[in-house]
């Protein structure tokens, strides 16, 4: 509410316009100061300050209501954790440590284990539970969470369109994309449709493999095959990976104890970025699980910032993995520095009675990715907080972190961070080779699912008449694009699609859009120069992370790579063949 009110200050807007309209004064400003005036003028204008008073007041009321809806939507997600109870037999396929310390209930005279929709639980069940009925029930419990969010999202979509049209834009997507690298809806729509066609080529073969496995299971059980469903996706893609590459998530997990992996990944970042981290004993934090670190320059006594790690689930906590830039860095008028603070939140599996906290390889990749956001904030040095760290164009902000996910697939990196939690032995070279070989297994279906979220986002936000049913469109596109059926269940997954009410509206396509840049950065510099090349790491720090949005992301990419980016590395990285049209 305060932010909305601040950006509706007509007196401040007039002061900004007085500078903005004065060509001589603008020419006398430094580049970042001039960019600040230009950005402030645009932001004020996008907040309605160029409108007449009546429309401005109407816009303010609409924006305030949208903010209230977003807060309520996300509170419902965080407080609306689903759960169900399964017997041990129903959970056949789950490892023994899944049951350690797990809450139990007596249902119909039988002991059952409580399974929640927190992602360590639901991902384990959807990947490993052998009984289709178990996976289906878990799928439905997750898919029917927070139905009260349906009308909230529906209202928000309508209000966003109203706000955009008050400002003279045709659609909310047109309004949002003006500030992104894409600039307009058409390039986004062309991008997703082109990629969808390419990915379906991969997915066709993946569907064949999965169908064959499920048909064999059904035949062995004396049952008929009726199709592939949403609850089959993770189980059978995981099974294909196991059979083709002899990769078992549980086997890999034994070499990824959370404490040691976190320490090793922090070492990678220290070396890459020429920093050193100091863990604080008995820090002033919001929960005993939270760790706090100071960040210093590696070669001098110069403070850089600090960050928090909050890695394990608990009741009422944010359900997914994310980074919050708690405080931006900026210069005070006296020349002193306000240092940045960031917090990483995740929900990795907690320690059990029989084993320490163990990460899957996906968890380790997530840790690398999210810490990338942390250090984007920590390493950024801008004069103005508005340009600090991850406050870049929305369709670029994921690229630096996505690029760092590649480290979890580098054999030399894996052998540094993966050690057996009992013996301390490094991960076997043969296992590393099998893991790396499995990287693109299921890539077509995986990226189609990511594409589905982006297509749905544009579907509800790139409409000029507002005639869109957020629930019906989600369920239809989910089946059409992701290629798995929902069965006869009445699902409302859009009710927990937090991105749509958390700043990614008309922007989810950016996850895949920015992967083009991340793949190009990795291939053109880190593969070419060596992933541990200190100069490449410093160039990445100073040309990609340090500027934040004090300059256009495209300029930062050109500075780092020495040329404009193209999509060739991305196409190759997901297992597709390059063609002459790739650019």
């Amino acid at each position: 509410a305060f932010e909305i009110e601040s950006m509706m200050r007509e007196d401040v807007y007039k002061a900004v316009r007085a500078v903005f309209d004065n060509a001589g004064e603008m020419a006398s400003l430094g580049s970042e100061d001039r960019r600040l005036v230009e950005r402030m003028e645009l932001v004020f204008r996008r907040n309605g300050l160029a409108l007449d008073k009546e429309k401005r007041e109407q816009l303010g009321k609409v924006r305030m209501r949208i903010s209230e809806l977003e807060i309520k939507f996300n509170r419902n997600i965080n407080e609306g954790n689903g759960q169900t109870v399964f017997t041990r037999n129903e959970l056949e396929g789950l490892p023994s440590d899944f049951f350690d310390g797990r809450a139990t209930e007596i249902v119909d005279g039988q002991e059952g284990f409580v399974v929640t929709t927190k992602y360590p639980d639901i991902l384990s069940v959807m990947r490993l539970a052998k009984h289709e009925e178990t996976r289906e029930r878990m799928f439905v419990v997750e898919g029917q969470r927070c139905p009260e969010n349906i009308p909230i999202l529906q209202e928000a979509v309508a209000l966003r369109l109203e706000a955009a049209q008050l400002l003279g834009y045709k659609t909310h997507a047109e309004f949002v994309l003006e500030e992104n690298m894409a600039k307009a809806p058409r390039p986004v729509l062309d991008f997703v449709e082109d990629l969808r066609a390419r990915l379906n080529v991969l997915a066709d073969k993946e569907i064949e493999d999965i169908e064959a496995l499920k048909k064999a299971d059904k035949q062995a059980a004396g049952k008929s095959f009726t199709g592939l469903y949403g609850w089959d996706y993770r189980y059978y893609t995981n099974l294909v990976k196991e059979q083709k590459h002899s990769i078992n998530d549980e086997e890999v997990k034994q070499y990824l104890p959370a404490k040691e992996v976190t320490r090793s990944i922090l070492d990678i970042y220290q070396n890459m970025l020429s920093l050193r981290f100091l863990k604080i004993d008995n820090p002033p934090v919001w929960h005993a699980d939270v760790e706090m670190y100071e960040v210093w320059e590696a070669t001098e006594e110069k403070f850089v910032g600090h960050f928090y790690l909050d890695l394990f689930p608990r009741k009422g906590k944010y359900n997914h993995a994310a980074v919050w830039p708690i405080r931006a860095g900026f210069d005070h008028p006296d020349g002193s520095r306000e240092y940045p603070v960031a917090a990483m939140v995740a929900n990795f599996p907690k320690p059990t009675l029989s084993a320490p906290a163990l990460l899957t390889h996906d968890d380790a990749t997530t840790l690398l990715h999210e810490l990338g956001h942390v250090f984007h904030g920590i390493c950024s040095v801008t004069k103005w907080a508005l340009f600090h760290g991850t406050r870049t164009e929305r369709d670029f902000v994921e690229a630096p972190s996505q690029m760092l996910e590649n480290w979890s697939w580098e054999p030399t990196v894996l052998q540094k961070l993966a050690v057996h939690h009992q013996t301390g032995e490094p991960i076997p070279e043969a296992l590393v080779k099998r893991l790396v070989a499995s990287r693109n297994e299921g890539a077509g279906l995986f990226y189609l699912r990511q594409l589905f979220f982006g297509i749905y986002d544009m579907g509800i936000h790139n409409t000029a008449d507002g005639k869109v049913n957020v629930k019906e469109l989600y369920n239809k596109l989910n089946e059409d694009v992701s290629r798995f059926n929902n069965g006869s269940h009445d699902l409302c997954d859009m009710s927990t699609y937090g991105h749509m009410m958390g700043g990614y509206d008309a922007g989810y396509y950016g996850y895949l859009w920015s992967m083009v840049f991340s793949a190009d950065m990795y291939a053109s510099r880190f593969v070419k120069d060596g992933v541990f090349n200190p100069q490449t790491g410093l160039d990445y720090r100073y040309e990609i992370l340090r500027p934040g949005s004090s300059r256009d992301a495209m300029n930062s990419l050109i500075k780092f790579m020495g040329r404009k980016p193209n999509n060739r590395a991305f196409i190759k990285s997901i297992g597709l063949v390059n063609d002459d049209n790739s650019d």
Side-chain angles (χ1 to χ4, degrees):
F2 173 78
E3 183 175 11
I4 291 168
E5 186 178 344
S6 298
M7 297 316 300
M8 300 296 281
R9 287 276 300 272
E10 188 174 6
D11 55 340
V12 181
Y13 177 57
K14 287 179 178 178
V16 171
R17 281 302 300 257
V19 179
F20 182 78
D21 292 335
N22 187 323
E25 189 168 357
M26 287 292 284
S28 71
L29 296 176
S31 61
E32 190 172 339
D33 289 347
R34 187 165 56 252
R35 187 176 177 88
L36 177 73
V37 177
E38 292 169 345
R39 179 67 62 82
M40 289 179 73
E41 192 280 331
L42 177 63
V43 171
F44 274 117
R45 183 157 34 88
R46 286 166 59 85
N47 277 280
L49 272 294
L51 299 175
D52 61 46
K53 185 178 180 181
E54 183 180 346
K55 286 186 176 180
R56 190 162 68 241
E57 288 177 354
Q58 183 183 353
L59 180 66
K61 290 176 182 177
V62 170
R63 289 274 175 83
M64 194 70 76
R65 177 59 179 162
I66 292 171
S67 178
E68 291 169 358
L69 292 170
E70 289 174 344
I71 291 167
K72 189 174 182 180
F73 187 96
N74 285 293
R75 182 180 292 132
N76 288 342
I77 294 176
N78 290 337
E79 294 177 356
N81 292 322
Q83 68 176 47
T84 187
V85 179
F86 294 106
T87 65
R88 186 87 181 216
N89 180 62
E90 288 173 325
L91 292 170
E92 182 184 0
L94 276 294
S96 58
D97 64 1
F98 181 83
F99 301 92
D100 289 347
R102 184 167 296 278
T104 59
E105 291 182 9
I106 301 298
V107 179
D108 296 332
Q110 283 189 296
E111 181 185 49
F113 294 86
V114 176
V115 179
T116 73
T117 52
K118 292 281 189 180
Y119 65 74
D121 281 10
I122 193 167
L123 288 184
S124 294
V125 171
M126 300 311 286
R127 278 178 179 161
L128 301 173
K130 291 186 176 181
H131 297 294
E132 182 176 0
E133 296 78 7
T134 298
R135 301 194 308 274
E136 182 177 2
R137 176 146 52 105
M138 197 78 239
F139 180 82
V140 173
V141 168
E142 169 64 8
Q144 294 181 343
R145 278 203 302 139
C146 304
E148 65 275 17
N149 274 349
I150 299 174
I152 294 176
L153 179 59
Q154 190 75 58
E155 183 181 353
V157 167
L159 290 172
R160 285 167 178 163
L161 176 60
E162 181 181 349
Q165 293 184 341
L166 277 170
L167 290 164
Y169 299 87
K170 292 179 183 177
T171 70
H172 178 65
E174 185 179 285
F175 166 76
V176 169
L177 294 171
E178 178 184 33
E179 290 192 300
N180 285 8
M181 296 182 78
K183 302 302 181 189
R186 177 43 54 191
V188 175
L189 297 173
D190 290 345
F191 171 76
V192 297
E193 287 306 320
D194 172 69
L195 189 54
R196 183 181 179 183
R198 293 173 185 268
L199 291 173
N200 272 320
V201 175
L202 289 180
D204 287 343
K205 179 62 172 68
E206 294 164 4
I207 289 287
E208 285 181 17
D209 293 341
I210 290 171
E211 276 190 348
L213 286 176
K214 187 172 182 182
K215 284 177 178 177
D217 284 348
K218 287 297 183 183
Q219 185 176 14
K223 298 178 180 178
S224 59
F225 173 80
T226 59
L228 292 177
Y229 299 95
W231 52 87
D232 293 322
Y233 167 63
R234 292 188 183 277
Y235 178 75
Y236 283 104
T237 52
N238 187 60
L239 205 57
V240 169
K241 186 172 71 172
E242 284 187 8
Q243 293 189 359
K244 280 190 176 182
H245 304 283
S246 299
I247 285 293
N248 181 292
D249 283 344
E250 291 305 306
E251 179 187 9
V252 176
K253 200 167 77 171
Q254 305 309 309
Y255 292 91
L256 296 173
K259 185 176 180 180
E260 285 74 13
V261 170
T262 303
R263 185 172 63 238
S264 296
I265 289 176
L266 289 175
D267 284 345
I268 288 170
Y269 277 107
Q270 287 185 109
N271 295 330
M272 179 193 304
L273 302 173
S274 193
L275 297 170
R276 59 187 168 91
F277 309 144
L278 178 64
K279 185 177 178 182
I280 305 302
D281 293 328
N282 301 313
V285 290
W286 53 92
H287 189 272
D289 286 347
V290 180
E291 296 179 348
M292 178 181 175
Y293 292 81
E294 289 181 353
V295 182
W296 296 78
E297 292 286 356
T299 56
E300 55 183 316
E301 288 299 313
K302 185 177 179 182
F303 184 68
V304 178
H306 69 267
F307 65 93
Y308 301 92
L309 299 181
D310 185 356
L311 302 182
F312 302 110
R314 59 181 178 274
K315 187 176 180 180
K317 182 185 171 184
Y318 183 77
N319 275 312
H320 299 287
V323 170
W324 279 272
I326 293 175
R327 187 173 69 204
F330 60 89
D331 289 346
H332 287 289
D334 64 3
S336 62
R337 185 82 184 148
E338 188 77 9
Y339 294 103
V341 182
M344 177 188 165
V345 170
N347 286 271
F348 297 140
K350 295 193 77 166
T352 69
L353 295 174
S354 61
L358 298 174
L359 304 181
T360 65
H361 183 260
D362 283 351
D363 291 334
T365 304
T366 297
L367 184 56
L368 270 161
H369 176 103
E370 299 299 345
L371 282 171
H373 288 310
V374 167
F375 296 116
H376 197 167
I378 295 298
C379 293
S380 180
V381 180
T382 59
K383 180 177 180 179
W384 300 105
L386 185 64
F387 299 136
H388 186 264
T390 55
R391 298 177 182 187
T392 65
E393 295 96 319
R394 176 62 76 178
D395 47 5
F396 175 75
V397 70
E398 296 295 333
S401 288
Q402 289 168 334
M403 193 272 293
L404 292 156
E405 292 179 22
N406 288 289
W407 269 247
S408 71
W409 298 99
E410 282 287 345
T412 52
V413 173
L414 283 167
Q415 286 161 352
K416 285 178 179 288
L417 65 85
V419 294
H420 198 281
H421 71 94
Q422 290 178 323
T423 66
E425 290 293 315
I427 189 168
E429 187 176 343
L431 179 55
V432 171
K433 286 181 178 178
R434 298 200 310 272
L435 181 62
V436 173
S438 74
R439 179 174 187 176
N440 281 325
E441 195 61 58
L445 290 170
F446 173 81
Y447 287 114
L448 276 177
R449 181 150 180 80
Q450 290 297 304
L451 209 58
F452 149 67
F453 289 122
I455 292 172
Y456 173 72
D457 177 19
M458 293 299 288
I460 61 175
H461 288 126
N462 193 40
T463 168
D465 60 14
K467 294 179 180 178
V468 58
N469 184 306
V470 298
K471 181 179 177 182
E472 287 181 5
L473 183 64
Y474 188 98
N475 288 328
K476 181 180 185 303
L477 285 175
N478 192 4
E479 292 191 336
D480 290 349
V481 180
S482 301
R483 302 184 59 170
F484 286 82
N485 296 322
N486 293 327
S488 59
H489 301 293
D490 182 24
L491 303 177
C492 57
D493 289 281
M494 75 298 304
S495 294
T496 53
Y497 187 10
H499 290 80
M500 291 302 90
M501 299 290 271
Y504 276 85
D505 44 292
Y508 195 89
Y509 77 93
Y511 277 105
L512 285 172
W513 179 282
S514 59
M515 284 194 75
V516 171
F517 307 129
S518 73
D520 205 3
M521 285 191 288
Y522 177 65
S524 66
R525 289 299 312 270
F526 285 96
V527 172
K528 181 181 177 183
D529 302 341
V531 293
F532 296 119
N533 185 303
Q535 186 57 53
T536 307
L538 281 175
D539 287 348
Y540 170 74
R541 174 180 171 183
Y542 287 116
E543 299 296 353
I544 299 295
L545 305 184
R546 184 183 177 97
S549 65
S550 63
R551 66 187 183 198
D552 287 349
M554 183 59 73
N555 291 340
S556 293
L557 287 164
I558 292 170
K559 286 276 189 181
F560 180 63
M561 295 192 294
R563 57 166 173 79
K564 285 187 176 182
N566 61 61
N567 71 2
R568 294 184 185 91
F570 172 66
I571 295 298
K572 182 179 179 182
S573 73
I574 62 174
L576 286 166
V577 177
N578 282 308
D579 60 45
D580 294 336
N581 295 320
S582 296
D583 58 9

